[in-house]
Amino acid sequence: MRVEGITLSFGGVRALNDISFEIKEHEILAIIGPNGAGKSSMLNVINGFYHPQEGTVAFKGKERKQMRPHEAAKQGIARTFQNIALFKGMSTLDNIMTGRVLKMKRNFLWQALYWGPALKEEIENREFCEKVIDFLEIQAIRKTPVGRLPYGLQKRVELGRALAAEPELLLLDEPMAGMNVEEKEDMCRFILDVNDEFGTTIALIEHDMGVVMDISDRVVVLDYGRKIADGTPDAVRANQDVINSYLGVSHDQMAAQ
Amino acid sequence: MSDLQAAAADTFPKLLLEMARRRPEQPAIREKEYGIWQAWTWREVENEVRALACGLAALGLGRGDKIAIIGDNRPRLYWTMTAAQAIGAIPVPLYQDSAAQELTFVIEHAGARFVMAEDQEQVDKMLSIRERYPALEQIVYDDARGLRHYQQDFVNAFEDIQARGRGYDAANPGFFDAAVAQGNGDDTAIYLYTSGTTGQPKGVVLNFDNLVKTAANGIALEGLTAEDEVMAYLPMAWVGDHLFSYGQSYVAGFCVSCPESSDTVLHDLRELGPTYFFAPPRIFENILTTVTIRMEDAGWIKRRMFKYFMALARRCGTRILDRKPVSLADRLMYGLGNLLVYGPLRNTLGFTRIRLAYTAGEAIGPDIFDFYRSIGVNLKQLYGSTEASVFITIQPDGEILPDTVGRPAPGVEIKVAEDGEVLFRSPGVFVEYYKNPEATAATKSPDGWVHTGDAGYLDDNGHLKIIDRAKDVGRLNDGNMFAPKYTENKLKFFADIKEAVAYGHQRNYCAAFINIDLEAVGSWAERNNVSYGSYQELAAHPDVLNTIKSHVEAVNRDLSEDPRLAGSQVRRFLVLHKELDADDGELTRTRKVRRAFVAEKYESLVEALYSDQDRVYVETEMTFEDGRKGTIKADLQVIEAQTFGQSEPLKMAG
């Protein structure tokens, strides 16, 4: 995945300004930056929700034109959202099954018939979803309506739905926002395990620096729509621009400047 | 079963081969995975065990070596026990939620060379133990998830060991069968470490004769058959699970089912509908609490129906179960109640097919006990210990006296020492405490009598009645008897009270710590629009304190009716700001309160109970699940409860 010279404006506001970076296969890339830096916009550009005025997005070497999110989904890009976007009244299992919709080839008539190929397909997809449920250790809430679950578990279900689509690229928008330490640790382990077991490439936005530095292979730093750094966690941590704009400037340094 | 003994299958591996021959296509063990119950037949189990045993032998596990086993109840972990026993090695199951440092003691003490770990979490613990105890040679894991990058050559997957074992088996045909045939009834079968309310755990050594004979006696007494259904969900390191889910399954040939995960137990229980069920009182309490809460939330009609029929059940349900005479009208109404309330309730709880349910470990509150019996669940108390391979006494059918633990189990002799301590002798009596001859000598006399440490007596019907731990029964300063557990159990019957710790020995009066039940009280708070930010805040809410006070006073009134226990009424109590937790050492791993430890830790609180302070400030260190520690501070209110005179009539007491 490559993004090249992306510029995105909403009216007079330039959300993204000439941004280029690369997401390599099988890596975990973190996009960080202060509030309003354009992180979520960047994710929305990658999965085709926003269309940049300038620049190109290439996935698996293929440059893409204007496209819609469902086309991105077909290409193997799945995502989770900053504010959970699940079907609250549906059970965990049903929510995860919705992630398989694109894999279901039989049309509505076959499904209305129930027996035959549609049933076989349903069973195959259910089996895959059960593997996701097992993987995320949410067996106990399989039949629970999602709206009744605590926040941390809803986030996990949302990850499950994204995984059900068997994505090659997984976009996670603040997967750990609002979680306690224990839930964060669990989520980190799941992200690492997904990357490890399925070889899924992951791009995530996260504010918790400890988490970012621990789990990501590479970090891209945005500030006011500009990219100010791109490199390994250690390199980024040592980068003076990043320290100034994000991690904060200490009083001594301010005085020295 | 008698033909089994004739066949001289005196070890579990021999019994397995026997079952694989007699019942090759019948299910032996099930596990729910990917939402479906997956079953293995006896023949498949034999093949799995054979491959594993050969694999372990190929890796160098030999006769007399120990293999530690740690994880939730999983078929593969049970197979590991049989595989180890087949080649003469000794399995040492460990409590899966123990922290690494607690486990280090047991692993070192047992001298384990191998360990079978369920998943990454347990493997990580074992790796940290290995840094301090390098004699741990091999770590085998069941679930490979997250372990892909563990490159150490001593960390191996279960499948790889089995694959190696199949090769070994092909190269050494007859090895497995010869190794199994070499086993004898008096060989050591297992080390079970008791969690122990005091001091370091002790390794109880049991041989095959202990377990196989005790299992067979239990089966004969209760008429268990190969068609029974059991769910294995209690820790594998606990003797009860070992006997019920492992020993008796191999002797009787019934199928054991492992739940999907520890969180889905109640749900899986309902799906499975076991016929034979074992649970410590705590689980029965929890289930009852859930029922009570759900009934509170139910609609008006259902609530009325439930109340009416439960009152009827309390009046005649247990009599019907015991086949005692009941009036025709009651019998008819009970039949209607069975249709409308008891049947659906049993179904919701997963007790539809239940024929036999045991509880033990602690005294069960008579009200809880009667609840299950009155809705037609044949719940019986038994009294046992690890040192007895479980059974000492069992309540016989039709002769259930709630305050006794029944008659001596088959083959068990009982006597009561002069100081009131109960002693027993049986075929299940343990061999010794591993590497601890002093403790062995202190507990077991040369002629086989074992000290239980419990005070009790045999009543006129020949039933054993346990009062309390011999060392816990105390006296108040005024000379009245003080039986803490009795008072605590009365308190714990209230759904709002999760745990209670009573003090009074060598004090002027009885006083108690109380833990609220977060689920029950939280549900009350939700229904009454009471907002709270934490356990601590909820526990200090004035309305909650008032409710608890009324519960304590109800218990006091109850106690006042029994002249022997009237002195144990709770005069002052406080509601603790944190839940007592095994991670903080306040409970044992089997979740029994460590009274002395709690008294020491909360010394200032105990002092406040015996002063006239009405508030007390406390800072407590607590351990989080990830092992970090933190402190919580609280300002607790000490509450005076009304007590009742012994002879005071009830109407005046109100």
Side-chain angles (χ1 to χ4, degrees), chain A residues 8-10 13-17 19 36-39 41 224-226:
Chain A
L8 176 74
S9 339
F10 300 105
V13 182
R14 280 214 154 175
L16 296 172
N17 197 350
I19 298 205
K39 305 180 299 290
S41 303
Y224 295 113
R226 291 174 305 114

Side-chain angles (χ1 to χ4, degrees), chain A residues 130 135 139 142 190 193 196, chain B residues 34-35 145 149 260 263-264:
Chain A
E130 285 293 342
F135 184 84
Q139 297 98 332
R142 186 183 284 127
F190 289 127
D193 283 352
D196 199 42
Chain B
Y34 304 131
R145 153 113 188 261
H149 297 301
E260 191 164 20
D263 302 328
T264 60

Side-chain angles (χ1 to χ4, degrees), chain B residues 168-390:
Chain B
Y168 187 85
D169 195 21
N172 304 279
F175 163 80
F176 178 77
D177 295 296
V180 170
Q182 213 182 320
N184 275 319
D186 55 4
D187 288 349
T188 298
I190 196 160
Y191 295 166
L192 293 171
Y193 278 79
T194 57
S195 52
T197 40
T198 47
Q200 293 287 12
K202 287 181 286 202
V204 178
V205 178
L206 296 173
N207 64 26
F208 290 109
D209 279 344
N210 293 152
L211 289 161
V212 173
K213 283 184 185 158
T214 308
N217 282 342
I219 289 165
L221 178 73
E222 305 289 5
L224 299 174
T225 68
E227 308 311 317
D228 277 302
E229 284 282 348
V230 170
M231 191 160 90
Y233 68 102
L234 291 162
M236 290 176 67
W238 179 63
V239 68
D241 182 72
H242 190 65
L243 192 89
F244 300 120
S245 314
Y246 183 76
Q248 292 196 324
S249 163
Y250 275 47
V251 175
F254 57 69
C255 180
V256 174
S257 301
C258 302
E260 191 164 20
S261 78
S262 51
D263 302 328
T264 60
V265 168
L266 289 183
H267 186 258
D268 295 340
L269 182 70
R270 187 182 169 193
E271 273 184 6
L272 193 72
T275 59
Y276 175 31
F277 182 65
F278 182 92
R282 183 177 291 266
I283 302 242
F284 286 109
E285 271 170 46
N286 286 348
I287 296 177
L288 180 56
T289 308
T290 320
V291 170
T292 317
I293 293 169
R294 280 171 61 181
M295 281 323 298
E296 300 269 323
D297 287 338
W300 180 82
I301 299 178
K302 285 186 185 167
R303 222 165 47 222
R304 286 292 296 272
M305 238 164 64
F306 180 75
K307 286 227 167 89
Y308 174 79
F309 282 109
M310 283 322 294
L312 177 78
R314 265 195 296 280
R315 198 167 69 232
C316 65
T318 50
R319 296 180 65 85
I320 288 174
L321 192 66
D322 289 341
R323 302 212 166 83
K324 286 182 185 151
V326 172
S327 78
L328 184 67
D330 275 355
R331 208 172 268 278
L332 285 175
M333 282 313 280
Y334 188 86
L336 184 65
N338 201 21
L339 219 60
L340 294 175
V341 176
Y342 318 136
L345 185 56
R346 285 198 306 270
N347 186 24
T348 311
L349 304 178
F351 291 156
T352 299
R353 296 197 294 159
I354 205 117
R355 285 198 308 115
L356 173 63
Y358 280 139
T359 185
E362 270 193 84
I364 187 166
D367 308 292
I368 303 167
F369 188 65
D370 283 345
F371 168 81
Y372 289 97
R373 291 193 60 79
S374 69
I375 61 164
V377 175
N378 186 20
L379 176 61
K380 308 204 286 184
Q381 294 188 69
L382 68 81
Y383 172 62
S385 71
T386 312
E387 287 81 354
S389 312
V390 181

Side-chain angles (χ1 to χ4, degrees), chain A residues 126-127 130-131 133-137 139-143 181-182 185 189-190 193 196-198, chain B residues 32-36 120 143-149 260-261 263-264 267 271 624-626 628:
Chain A
R126 169 77 188 268
E127 192 181 344
E130 285 293 342
K131 286 193 175 142
I133 288 174
D134 185 66
F135 184 84
L136 294 175
E137 294 165 12
Q139 297 98 332
I141 55 163
R142 186 183 284 127
K143 300 268 167 73
V181 177
E182 214 167 289
E185 282 177 355
R189 214 184 73 224
F190 289 127
D193 283 352
D196 199 42
E197 297 273 306
F198 305 126
Chain B
K32 193 172 181 191
E33 209 177 21
Y34 304 131
I36 300 173
Q120 185 184 17
D143 183 356
R145 153 113 188 261
L147 288 164
R148 184 158 304 180
H149 297 301
E260 191 164 20
S261 78
D263 302 328
T264 60
H267 186 258
E271 273 184 6
F624 298 104
E625 262 193 36
D626 59 0
R628 288 176 313 116

Side-chain angles (χ1 to χ4, degrees), chain B residues 13-270:
Chain B
K14 286 183 195 171
L15 282 162
L16 171 65
L17 297 188
E18 175 88 18
M19 282 299 158
R21 206 174 61 238
R22 282 174 38 201
R23 306 172 51 80
E25 301 306 327
Q26 304 301 313
I29 194 161
R30 280 189 215 106
E31 180 184 23
K32 193 172 181 191
E33 209 177 21
Y34 304 131
I36 300 173
W37 289 100
Q38 325 262 356
W40 286 265
T41 64
W42 283 102
R43 179 181 295 157
E44 284 165 345
V45 171
E46 188 206 325
N47 290 334
E48 297 277 355
V49 168
R50 180 184 292 266
L52 181 63
C54 292
L56 292 172
L59 273 178
L61 189 70
R63 228 153 248 287
D65 284 341
K66 287 92 187 172
I67 175 165
I69 298 172
I70 185 161
D72 286 329
N73 310 69
R74 296 268 167 252
R76 284 176 165 185
L77 301 191
Y78 284 109
W79 299 339
T80 306
M81 288 189 182
T82 325
Q85 290 170 341
I87 55 173
I90 300 160
V92 186
L94 307 172
Y95 284 96
Q96 67 269 34
D97 57 353
S98 308
Q101 70 215 41
E102 292 171 78
L103 295 171
T104 312
F105 170 81
V106 174
I107 288 182
E108 265 194 87
H109 186 264
R113 285 182 59 204
F114 281 44
V115 64
M116 174 68 70
E118 186 195 0
D119 54 12
Q120 185 184 17
E121 182 191 348
Q122 307 295 359
V123 169
D124 286 347
K125 281 191 213 165
M126 293 304 136
L127 287 172
S128 76
I129 289 172
R130 196 174 182 273
E131 279 167 21
R132 274 167 289 168
Y133 175 68
L136 193 63
E137 287 171 37
Q138 282 285 342
I139 300 173
V140 185
Y141 55 84
D142 170 9
D143 183 356
R145 153 113 188 261
L147 288 164
R148 184 158 304 180
H149 297 301
Y150 286 51
Q151 299 296 351
Q152 297 93 325
D153 55 3
F154 54 86
V155 180
N156 285 300
F158 187 93
E159 294 85 355
D160 296 343
I161 303 297
Q162 279 193 325
R164 190 195 268 237
R166 287 192 190 93
Y168 187 85
D169 195 21
N172 304 279
F175 163 80
F176 178 77
D177 295 296
V180 170
Q182 213 182 320
N184 275 319
D186 55 4
D187 288 349
T188 298
I190 196 160
Y191 295 166
L192 293 171
Y193 278 79
T194 57
S195 52
T197 40
T198 47
Q200 293 287 12
K202 287 181 286 202
V204 178
V205 178
L206 296 173
N207 64 26
F208 290 109
D209 279 344
N210 293 152
L211 289 161
V212 173
K213 283 184 185 158
T214 308
N217 282 342
I219 289 165
L221 178 73
E222 305 289 5
L224 299 174
T225 68
E227 308 311 317
D228 277 302
E229 284 282 348
V230 170
M231 191 160 90
Y233 68 102
L234 291 162
M236 290 176 67
W238 179 63
V239 68
D241 182 72
H242 190 65
L243 192 89
F244 300 120
S245 314
Y246 183 76
Q248 292 196 324
S249 163
Y250 275 47
V251 175
F254 57 69
C255 180
V256 174
S257 301
C258 302
E260 191 164 20
S261 78
S262 51
D263 302 328
T264 60
V265 168
L266 289 183
H267 186 258
D268 295 340
L269 182 70
R270 187 182 169 193

Side-chain angles (χ1 to χ4, degrees), chain A residues 20-59:
Chain A
S20 310
F21 62 87
E22 203 181 346
I23 308 175
K24 296 183 186 119
E25 222 177 330
H26 303 315
E27 78 172 349
I28 299 182
L29 175 84
I31 302 174
I32 62 172
N35 287 331
K39 305 180 299 290
S40 291
S41 303
M42 194 63 237
L43 230 52
N44 283 332
V45 166
I46 293 174
N47 91 322
F49 195 68
Y50 289 164
H51 306 293
Q53 280 80 10
E54 284 167 40
T56 55
V57 178
F59 183 54

